[in-house]
Amino acid sequence: MAKLIIEGGRPLKGQISLQGAKNAALPILAASVLVPEPVRITNCPRLTDVENMAGILKALGCRVEWTEDGLLIDTGSAKSAQLPEALSASIRSSLFLLGPLLGRFGAAEAPYPGGCDIGNRPVDLHLKGLRAMGVRVDEASGRIRCLGRPKGGVEIALEYPSVGATENLIMAACGAAEDTILVNPAREPEIDDLMAFLNGAGFDLRREGSSRIRIRGGRQGHGTLHAVMPDRIEAGTYMVAAAITGGHLLLRGGRREHLSALITALREAGCRIRSEGTDLDIEGPERPRELRRLVTLPYPGFPTDMQSQVFALCTLARGTSVLEENVFEDRFRHGAELRRMGADCLIRGRAAVIRGVKSLHGATVTAHDLRGGAALALAGLRAEGITVVERAERIDRGYANFEANLRDVGAAIRREDS
Ligand code: UD1
């Protein structure tokens, strides 16, 4: 376990280079199972979740090596289609392996996946889609057993544009003999990065407008080199770090077009944001303005993964903000922790009403999930006195060098492991 100890009140100033996207790297690692030749993945962030996914691949018999610029994966030696219990239960993304294992071996077995504690996270859309591809799926004694090579020749309509289900089903469809069409897929850019990886490896996937993806059947995968896209949630988190401290940061290696909804919200809060090429320059206001109504939605809507960080910002706003969480059912646990730091917020189901206060004060708080933990650290950067964020290892699931990056731009933050 780890804690972060933060002395607040210093505006952040300087540059941060962004990492590769966790949410793109994880499905790409899983997709490498479809390719029985070595693949090289550069710009791959070295995070706990990615290490766990690499550990699962090793347990399946694959060779996985960290190199100077990323990961080298050779799944040619993969023998097992059965996911290891403890590691797989620790990350929800282990579920992504069902699709590629079925595509490669026609069989897959996994425990129900773990991940962040942000409410009930069903897997029905994943399994329904696999069944529609002719796979036999049995759920018994906490395990998911799948049998049969995905058939293709079908059109699958997702009731909700789930990111994970879209990724799982396009990977399963790569192993099919005939074309598959996915209707109402998620539109998150991480899905396009996964498709770029698969296209580079010899498969053939494309979006047909914004509401369909066609996956051609009967293709064989081959070795490839892929650079993971930049992490828009990491970028967003550091943007809020600048905003909340009244600082000025230059973020390097990002993609502005992935951040539109967040940029709109941060401008409303009074930030000055400019971008040029892959640089993003953000200056925070002395005190943020309130956000009248911010609603999380699937991409291109405002991302749920940025809700808690912006929640922290709103606690210091001049007026009252309303945040509505539409993607996950229980993603406001940071609210109660922020209250310990002096925030004035009320949570009713999927809505939070946050009355801005002039200042927060340091307190001992707990990171209940990855992004909520990051939000508490951001609040600590602005709060008066010392903030201790416990269970900070949960932040490591999504940020490489979190405290080192913040220290480099002037934060007083250190880590204690126990
Ligand atoms: C991914 C991201 C996560 C992000 C989320 C939404 C990764 C590794 N994780 O998670 O960081 O917060 O997208 O942008 O990429 N649902 C069902 N049935 C299913 C699947 C999902 O009801 O079979 C529901 C979920 O409970 C949730 C909503 O759909 O309420 C969104 O989930 P989904 O888009 O699948 O998110 P993840 O892929 O788990």
Side-chain angles (χ1 to χ4, degrees):
M1 286 201 285
K3 49 176 87 155
L4 291 179
I5 298 150
I6 305 162
E7 198 185 319
R10 301 173 186 220
L12 303 187
K13 283 201 169 59
Q15 296 186 11
I16 297 177
S17 296
L18 299 170
Q19 68 188 25
K22 163 179 98 74
N23 287 353
L26 289 169
I28 288 172
L29 258 68
S32 66
V33 167
L34 283 163
V35 184
E37 290 179 10
V39 299
R40 189 179 281 280
I41 299 164
T42 60
N43 201 31
C44 187
R46 200 155 185 176
L47 308 163
T48 336
D49 271 12
V50 174
E51 298 275 14
N52 284 341
M53 180 62 96
I56 295 173
L57 291 177
K58 281 187 195 163
L60 296 176
C62 311
R63 195 163 68 85
V64 185
E65 256 173 55
W66 282 99
T67 61
E68 219 166 87
D69 60 352
L71 268 178
L72 184 68
I73 304 177
D74 188 350
T75 72
S77 51
K79 281 179 208 68
S80 171
Q82 194 168 337
L83 299 188
E85 192 81 32
L87 259 185
S88 311
S90 73
I91 54 167
R92 184 173 169 84
S93 328
S94 57
L95 193 68
F96 296 153
L97 278 156
L98 290 181
L101 283 171
L102 284 165
R104 168 102 173 255
F105 299 115
E109 187 175 330
Y112 274 93
C116 272
D117 186 9
I118 51 178
N120 187 26
R121 293 179 80 172
V123 296
D124 56 318
L125 299 173
H126 298 246
L127 304 187
K128 216 168 161 181
L130 292 175
R131 285 188 177 111
M133 283 190 218
V135 174
R136 220 184 89 196
V137 181
D138 291 320
E139 299 172 80
S141 3
R143 295 189 74 80
I144 305 170
R145 291 188 181 84
C146 303
L147 202 65
R149 200 172 283 278
K151 284 200 178 30
V154 284
E155 195 170 290
I156 301 169
L158 287 175
E159 289 151 40
Y160 178 90
S162 151
V163 176
T166 301
E167 293 169 338
N168 218 346
L169 297 177
I170 64 181
M171 292 189 276
C174 282
E178 288 178 66
D179 290 8
T180 305
I181 291 171
L182 211 56
V183 181
N184 192 29
R187 292 156 70 187
E188 270 68 4
E190 290 76 12
I191 289 166
D192 296 271
D193 207 36
L194 169 66
M195 288 168 61
F197 167 78
L198 287 166
N199 282 329
F203 296 100
D204 184 354
L205 306 91
R206 68 186 116 99
R207 287 200 189 260
E208 296 179 341
S210 59
S211 61
R212 287 157 73 95
I213 295 177
R214 178 184 290 271
I215 305 107
R216 291 234 179 260
R219 307 274 161 151
Q220 292 298 317
H222 56 67
T224 187
L225 166 75
H226 181 80
V228 176
M229 63 175 270
D231 196 316
R232 62 194 169 99
I233 306 302
E234 188 204 27
T237 303
Y238 292 134
M239 287 169 81
V240 176
I244 202 168
T245 62
H248 186 175
L249 291 178
L250 178 66
L251 306 176
R252 315 211 76 162
R255 288 214 200 138
R256 193 224 165 278
E257 67 271 24
H258 295 163
L259 291 158
S260 298
L262 177 67
I263 289 175
T264 303
L266 290 180
R267 282 193 173 138
E268 190 183 331
C271 296
R272 286 185 51 201
I273 301 168
R274 289 174 298 259
S275 65
E276 204 185 304
T278 58
D279 283 352
L280 211 77
D281 183 277
I282 171 158
E283 248 177 290
E286 215 161 276
R287 188 172 176 196
R289 282 196 295 266
E290 68 279 9
L291 301 178
R292 294 248 178 89
R293 183 166 175 262
L294 187 72
V295 179
T296 67
L297 285 170
Y299 191 85
F302 186 88
T304 173
D305 284 353
M306 282 305 304
Q307 178 260 109
S308 35
Q309 302 89 316
V310 167
F311 189 124
L313 181 68
C314 291
T315 63
L316 287 154
R318 291 172 204 271
T320 299
S321 309
V322 177
L323 304 189
E324 204 179 300
E325 174 56 61
N326 276 313
V327 180
F328 290 107
E329 62 180 23
D330 181 18
R331 204 171 194 180
F332 280 133
R333 293 185 73 188
H334 42 279
E337 301 298 320
L338 288 164
R339 239 181 258 134
R340 303 160 86 94
M341 300 175 72
D344 180 356
C345 55
L346 184 83
I347 289 152
R348 284 280 175 275
R350 286 178 179 255
V353 179
I354 308 160
R355 215 172 301 148
V357 292
K358 269 204 172 132
S359 61
L360 297 175
H361 53 78
T364 296
V365 289
T366 302
H368 294 288
D369 61 87
L370 158 58
R371 307 299 172 186
L376 298 176
L378 298 181
L381 293 172
R382 178 64 192 235
E384 288 167 10
I386 306 279
T387 299
V388 179
V389 182
E390 296 194 318
R391 301 303 309 263
E393 71 281 1
R394 290 184 169 138
I395 301 175
D396 301 339
R397 293 193 35 218
Y399 300 89
N401 311 316
F402 186 61
E403 59 281 6
N405 278 341
L406 291 171
R407 233 181 352 252
D408 283 352
V409 292
I413 179 168
R414 67 188 168 83
R415 181 191 180 97
E416 267 178 25
D417 288 299
S418 58

